[in-house]
């Protein structure tokens, strides 16, 4: 009998997690049954309890439940505690609900290993100050960048977020209009691309070798990546690799084996095309 896993969200029909984990299971010879589950907005805690009570082995959590999962967990990894949100749940040998946040690992692995863009000693601009950015800040700072600047429509939110991560490295926050100077790496962590929108950033942040990354992805380049290319960037990547990378980290936590990422990214990219 297959071990049961699932991704909880609302909405959830768009999730590629079942496809990704099916490919991981085939690649590593694991007997896994992974499904999507639409969870009512007021029913998250009950759904988690029922899932594990019926012999479920592990959960991925997506919007809008990452904060509720954080609050529900009995044991948090250090990176989950720092992020203040979680995307991976499982039970330990004592029956305690454990939680991790694998988003940052997925992002950094994709940027540094798959794209070959160093973060060490680089000036990094992060657009947005929501949960997506909060989840990746510590792993980025652990790469020892020269500076991380968090820019957001509401400057106070960016400043507060930066202050809460100051212990991990050189980081500041500001409003979009106050971004100053050029950057080596620019990461769009806003959801603007989903609406075909663009964060209001001046083109002066780009120089000839700037690398631009959008956490969103699609069959066509996002509006942010189109903007970057128009303004001279040649190093461009979307968030598909991050999606697969964070899933691989979850799979490794649950199954004790780390799947190979690049083959899965290629399959999904071909499907999108």
């Amino acid at each position: 009998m297959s071990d049961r896993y699932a991704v909880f969200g609302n909405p959830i029909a768009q999730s590629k997690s079942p496809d990704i984990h099916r490919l991981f299971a085939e690649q590593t010879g694991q007997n896994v049954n992974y499904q999507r589950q639409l969870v009512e907005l007021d029913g998250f805690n009950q759904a988690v309890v029922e899932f594990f009570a019926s012999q479920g082995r592990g959960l991925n959590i997506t919007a809008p439940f990452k904060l509720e999962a954080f609050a529900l967990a009995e044991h948090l990894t250090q990176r989950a505690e720092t992020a203040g949100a979680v995307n991976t749940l499982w039970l330990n040998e004592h029956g305690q609900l454990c939680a991790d946040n694998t988003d940052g690992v997925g992002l950094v692995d994709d940027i540094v290993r798959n794209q070959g863009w160093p973060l060490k000693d680089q000036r990094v601009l992060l657009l947005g100050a929501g949960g997506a950015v909060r989840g990746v800040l510590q792993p980025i700072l652990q790469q020892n960048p020269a500076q991380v600047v968090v820019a957001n429509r509401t400057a106070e939110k960016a400043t507060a977020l930066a202050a809460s991560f100051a212990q991990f490295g050189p980081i500041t926050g500001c409003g979009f209009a106050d971004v100053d100077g050029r950057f080596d790496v620019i990461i769009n962590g806003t959801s603007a691309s989903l609406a075909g929108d663009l964060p209001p950033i001046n083109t002066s942040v780009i120089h000839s070798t700037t690398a631009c990354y959008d956490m969103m992805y699609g069959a066509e380049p996002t509006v942010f990546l189109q903007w970057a290319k128009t303004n001279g960037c040649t190093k461009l990547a979307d968030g598909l690799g991050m999606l697969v990378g964070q899933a691989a980290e979850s799979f490794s936590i649950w199954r004790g084996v780390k799947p190979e990422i690049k083959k899965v990214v290629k399959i999904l990219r071909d499907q999108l095309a």
Side-chain angles (χ1 to χ4, degrees):
M1 186 175 178
S2 299
D3 292 332
R4 283 200 311 122
Y5 296 86
V7 56
F8 281 8
N10 188 332
I12 198 62
Q14 80 289 349
S15 174
K16 294 192 177 298
S17 291
D19 300 325
I20 293 170
H21 284 274
R22 175 182 54 79
L23 291 167
F24 287 165
E26 291 174 357
Q27 180 191 125
T28 59
Q30 300 287 307
N31 193 8
V32 167
N33 177 12
Y34 188 111
Q35 302 292 329
R36 302 176 188 87
Q37 184 169 326
L38 178 68
V39 176
E40 295 300 324
L41 295 179
D42 61 352
F44 176 76
N45 287 13
Q46 184 62 31
V48 171
V49 170
E50 290 175 356
F51 178 83
F52 285 109
S54 62
Q55 307 306 310
R57 295 291 301 275
L59 287 172
N60 282 134
I61 308 300
T62 189
F65 299 120
K66 290 185 179 183
L67 296 180
E68 287 185 63
F70 176 86
L72 186 62
E74 299 169 85
H75 177 75
L76 296 161
T77 64
Q78 192 273 325
R79 62 190 179 191
E81 190 166 0
T82 301
V86 302
N87 71 339
T88 306
L89 296 174
W90 70 98
L91 297 182
N92 66 14
E93 65 272 19
H94 305 297
Q96 296 172 309
L97 186 64
C98 301
D100 199 356
N101 188 315
T102 67
D103 288 333
V105 174
L107 173 72
V108 169
D109 278 357
D110 193 36
I111 289 176
V112 175
R113 296 183 185 179
N114 297 339
Q115 306 302 330
W117 305 342
L119 293 174
K120 181 178 172 61
D121 298 328
Q122 303 296 290
R123 195 160 188 251
V124 179
L125 174 61
L126 264 164
L127 306 178
V133 169
R134 171 174 284 276
V136 304
L137 276 176
Q138 184 186 6
I140 288 174
L141 287 165
Q142 286 175 332
Q143 294 291 308
N144 298 313
Q147 183 187 25
V148 171
V149 175
V150 178
N152 190 56
R153 199 173 300 276
T154 305
E156 292 79 9
K157 189 173 181 181
T159 303
L161 181 59
S164 68
F165 281 84
Q167 61 182 306
F168 299 108
I171 182 171
T172 59
C174 64
F176 285 139
D178 301 317
V179 176
D180 183 47
R182 294 180 174 182
F183 291 84
D184 303 301
V185 180
I186 303 174
I187 301 169
N188 182 22
T190 74
S191 58
S193 293
L194 294 176
D197 201 0
L198 188 68
I201 293 294
N202 196 292
T203 57
S204 63
V205 298
I206 293 175
H207 60 73
S208 60
T209 60
T210 299
C212 288
Y213 191 100
D214 197 334
M215 290 190 196
M216 302 296 110
Y217 67 91
E220 301 296 329
T222 66
V223 173
F224 171 75
L225 293 179
Q226 292 176 39
W227 169 83
K229 184 176 181 180
T230 299
N231 287 285
C233 285
T234 57
K235 295 191 286 188
L236 307 168
D238 67 16
L240 187 61
M242 174 185 175
L243 175 69
V244 177
Q246 62 81 25
E249 186 72 8
S250 294
F251 192 88
S252 176
I253 290 168
W254 295 329
R255 309 299 296 183
V257 58
K258 188 72 172 281
E260 203 281 323
I261 294 171
K262 288 186 178 180
K263 292 178 182 178
V264 176
V265 172
K266 184 181 186 307
I267 291 169
L268 293 178
R269 184 73 67 194
D270 290 345
Q271 289 176 353
L272 284 173

